[in-house]
Amino acid sequence: MRVFEHKNELRDYLDLKRGEGQRIALVPTMGALHAGHLSLVLNAAKENDLTVVSIFVNPTQFDNKEDLAKYPSTFEQDLKLLEGTQKEVVVFAPSVEEMYAEEVTAGKFDFDGLEHQMEGKFRTGHFDGVGTIVKSLLDLVEADKAYFGEKDFQQLQIIKKLVEKQHIATEIIGCPILREPHGLAMSSRNERLSEESRKEAAFIYATITEAKSKFPEESAEKIKEWTENQFVNHPFLKLEYVEIADESTLRPVKKFEKGKDYRLFIAVFANDVRLIDNIALN
Ligand code: PAF
């Protein structure tokens, strides 16, 4: 499997492959790969000839230095997992200097308000960082399609908006959330949880699944309040937010309307590990 560290080498290689008529996919990641990432790669490989997996922990999307420092890194294991897929994969693993040159700062983006909801409220500047790096990767790879997990549903909607507003030709494909046997959404951050904590954290999915069963009979307000209450006396999990929002605008909803799609979003701390999840209500 080829591993590129420099943009110009990757660009030359992809130009060659495109010249041979190959369809190219992009799966952007921050490494610490798990089955959720591999499912993105497998989806990409079904619809394309060559998949570029980028592995880059993007500093500008972290609002908290400690969180960035603690982000898991398992590069050698990541390569083994990708090799194990037996798909046509190339890895792009640049340094911070390669991606940002001198200035490690994010650009400013307007995602028509999607960026101000939920994660945007709690992680200042996060989506400017995501927009900056994803735009660089999309411009570099010029993929036919790029694949993102629905666990970061707000990010997925924002990247679709980025592509629309910046007239980027890559099609953005959202892929379903993969879950651990107890129900916890797969995430690189789960690496930082003990086996015991992972079991405890399964409470998040159990709760949002029960919340979903109340839709649409109960109001959004009631479902939100019920969900919040489940965490009040939890000995281990600390709720940051729960929101019920329209899938396309991500604006919080008060009253359900026919013909619209709604989703419940949640962020929870398990000790100092921040976990997010979401579930489609209809
Ligand atoms: O979802 C992620 O892992 C990151 O936000 C992404 C899309 C790779 C950008 O750094």
Side-chain angles (χ1 to χ4, degrees):
M1 197 172 53
R2 283 171 202 265
V3 179
F4 294 97
E5 290 176 6
H6 299 287
K7 291 192 225 175
N8 54 355
E9 288 162 8
L10 176 68
R11 204 178 280 121
D12 289 350
Y13 181 75
L14 294 178
D15 282 349
L16 208 76
K17 294 292 166 185
R18 241 186 306 271
E20 292 169 5
Q22 294 209 1
R23 286 163 306 164
I24 293 167
L26 171 65
V27 177
T29 82
M30 298 207 293
L33 301 186
H34 50 69
H37 293 114
L38 297 185
S39 79
L40 301 182
V41 173
L42 295 181
N43 282 336
K46 266 188 225 147
E47 301 177 333
N48 304 273
D49 302 300
L50 175 68
T51 302
V52 179
V53 177
S54 61
I55 298 182
F56 179 66
V57 182
N58 174 34
T60 65
Q61 69 186 74
F62 287 82
D63 58 338
N64 177 329
K65 281 209 177 89
E66 223 175 276
D67 194 24
L68 171 61
K70 283 188 185 158
Y71 202 83
S73 167
T74 55
F75 189 64
E76 292 308 320
Q77 189 188 314
D78 293 349
L79 297 186
K80 280 200 192 110
L81 285 174
L82 291 172
E83 253 159 16
T85 64
Q86 300 188 334
K87 302 293 176 195
E88 280 300 314
V89 171
V90 303
V91 172
F92 178 51
S95 63
V96 172
E97 296 73 43
E98 182 71 12
M99 289 316 286
Y100 281 97
E102 279 109 62
E103 253 203 286
V104 189
T105 51
K108 282 265 166 270
F109 290 85
D110 172 3
F111 297 117
D112 292 348
L114 295 175
E115 72 278 27
H116 300 314
Q117 309 297 338
M118 300 174 292
E119 292 299 285
K121 281 190 191 144
F122 287 89
R123 301 182 71 189
T124 316
H126 172 66
F127 289 119
D128 280 336
V130 170
T132 303
I133 197 65
V134 172
K135 182 170 183 325
S136 293
L137 291 168
L138 289 170
D139 288 346
L140 171 68
V141 175
E142 295 182 59
D144 296 279
K145 297 183 182 185
Y147 296 76
F148 296 85
E150 286 186 348
K151 186 182 74 71
D152 298 292
F153 191 85
Q154 184 172 11
Q155 168 175 279
L156 172 65
Q157 298 299 67
I158 279 176
I159 290 164
K160 285 184 180 163
K161 183 65 77 180
L162 170 80
V163 161
E164 178 197 314
K165 290 190 102 169
Q166 308 257 348
H167 309 290
I168 296 171
T170 305
E171 186 184 347
I172 304 300
I173 313 282
C175 301
I177 300 174
L178 252 70
R179 297 187 177 279
E180 300 198 355
H182 311 296
L184 178 64
M186 285 192 181
S187 162
S188 303
R189 290 172 193 270
N190 297 356
E191 290 263 326
R192 294 181 47 216
L193 296 173
S194 65
E195 196 44 47
E196 202 45 44
S197 309
R198 282 186 192 215
K199 279 189 203 147
E200 289 268 16
F203 181 79
I204 301 168
Y205 183 56
T207 305
I208 64 175
T209 307
E210 199 172 335
K212 177 186 166 94
S213 73
K214 300 179 188 299
F215 174 87
E217 286 74 24
E218 293 192 22
S219 69
E221 224 167 39
K222 276 258 163 64
I223 300 177
K224 180 176 161 164
E225 198 183 299
W226 177 87
T227 312
E228 284 168 348
N229 282 340
Q230 305 315 299
F231 288 88
V232 170
N233 291 321
H234 198 283
F236 171 65
L237 300 170
K238 195 167 164 292
L239 181 71
E240 185 170 60
Y241 69 77
V242 52
E243 202 55 86
I244 296 178
D246 181 312
E247 274 197 2
S248 54
T249 63
L250 300 182
R251 289 211 189 97
V253 63
K254 286 213 165 73
K255 197 166 178 290
F256 294 128
E257 288 172 42
K258 280 226 163 74
K260 289 197 172 174
D261 290 327
Y262 299 105
R263 214 166 252 265
L264 183 149
F265 297 84
I266 194 164
V268 174
F269 279 96
N271 294 326
D272 63 338
V273 184
R274 190 171 181 277
L275 303 168
I276 60 170
D277 203 346
N278 67 81
I279 193 164
L281 293 182
N282 36 353

